[in-house]
C-alpha cells in the first residue's frame, strides 16, 4: 500500500508541476498580448495626432490661399514650407499606418491625394511618382 501511495503522490506532484507550467505559459502569453495591444494603441494615438496636425496645416494653407485671393498675397516660400510640412506629416502617417497594417482602401497619390490606378507609375493629376 505504501508503494501505491507513493505512486499516487508522484502522479499528483507531476500533475501539479505541469499545471504550474501551463499557468506560467498562460500568464506569459497574456502579458505578450497586453504588450501588443498597448503598442497598437500607442500607434493609433500617434496616427490620430499626426492626422490632426495634417488637418491643421491644411487649414493654414487654405487660409494663405484665401488671403491671396482676397488681395493679401502670401509669400510663395512660406506657402511651400507649409506644404513641405504637410508632406512630412503624410509620410509619418504612412509609416504609422504601415506599422499598424493599415492599407488605403483606394490607392491615392502621396503628393496630391488623387485616386490612382494600381498600374500607374505616375499620378495622372500632378505627375508625381507613385
Amino acid at each position: 500500500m505504501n508503494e501505491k501511495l507513493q505512486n499516487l503522490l508522484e502522479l499528483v506532484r507531476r500533475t501539479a508541476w505541469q499545471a504550474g507550467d501551463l499557468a506560467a505559459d498562460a500568464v506569459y502569453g497574456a502579458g505578450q498580448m497586453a504588450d501588443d495591444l498597448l503598442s497598437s494603441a500607442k500607434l493609433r494615438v500617434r496616427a490620430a495626432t499626426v492626422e490632426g496636425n495634417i488637418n491643421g496645416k491644411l487649414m493654414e494653407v487654405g487660409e494663405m490661399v484665401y488671403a491671396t485671393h482676397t488681395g493679401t498675397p502670401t509669400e510663395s516660400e512660406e506657402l511651400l514650407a507649409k506644404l513641405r510640412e504637410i508632406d512630412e506629416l503624410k509620410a509619418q502617417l504612412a509609416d504609422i499606418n504601415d506599422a499598424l497594417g493599415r492599407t488605403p482602401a483606394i490607392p491615392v497619390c502621396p503628393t496630391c491625394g488623387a485616386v490612382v490606378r494600381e498600374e500607374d507609375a505616375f499620378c495622372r493629376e500632378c505627375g508625381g511618382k507613385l
Side-chain angles (χ1 to χ4, degrees), residues 20 37 40 43 45 51 62 72 75 78 84-85 94-96 108-109 111 116 126:
L37 287 172
S40 179
L43 282 173
V45 167
E51 287 171 346
T72 312
E75 291 292 323
E78 185 180 348
R84 286 186 189 110
E85 289 176 28
D95 290 343
I96 294 168
V108 295
C109 172
T111 304
V116 295
C126 72

Side-chain angles (χ1 to χ4, degrees), residues 11-83:
L11 179 63
V12 169
R13 185 191 67 76
R14 278 187 298 194
T15 304
W17 192 264
Q18 289 172 345
D21 284 347
L22 288 173
D25 289 346
V27 168
Y28 177 77
Q32 288 296 107
M33 287 176 52
D35 285 346
D36 292 346
L37 287 172
L38 179 61
S39 295
S40 179
K42 286 179 180 179
L43 282 173
R44 284 191 198 104
V45 167
R46 192 165 155 228
T49 301
V50 171
E51 287 171 346
N53 290 340
I54 290 170
N55 289 335
K57 297 293 179 189
L58 287 170
M59 286 175 51
E60 291 174 16
V61 167
E63 290 171 4
M64 291 174 161
V65 170
Y66 186 74
T68 300
H69 167 72
T70 59
T72 312
T74 301
E75 291 292 323
S76 61
E77 286 302 316
E78 185 180 348
L79 182 58
L80 283 174
K82 289 285 180 200
L83 292 172

Side-chain angles (χ1 to χ4, degrees), residues 3-20:
E3 186 178 329
K4 286 184 179 183
L5 183 59
Q6 284 180 345
N7 288 340
L8 181 61
L9 289 174
E10 180 60 26
L11 179 63
V12 169
R13 185 191 67 76
R14 278 187 298 194
T15 304
W17 192 264
Q18 289 172 345

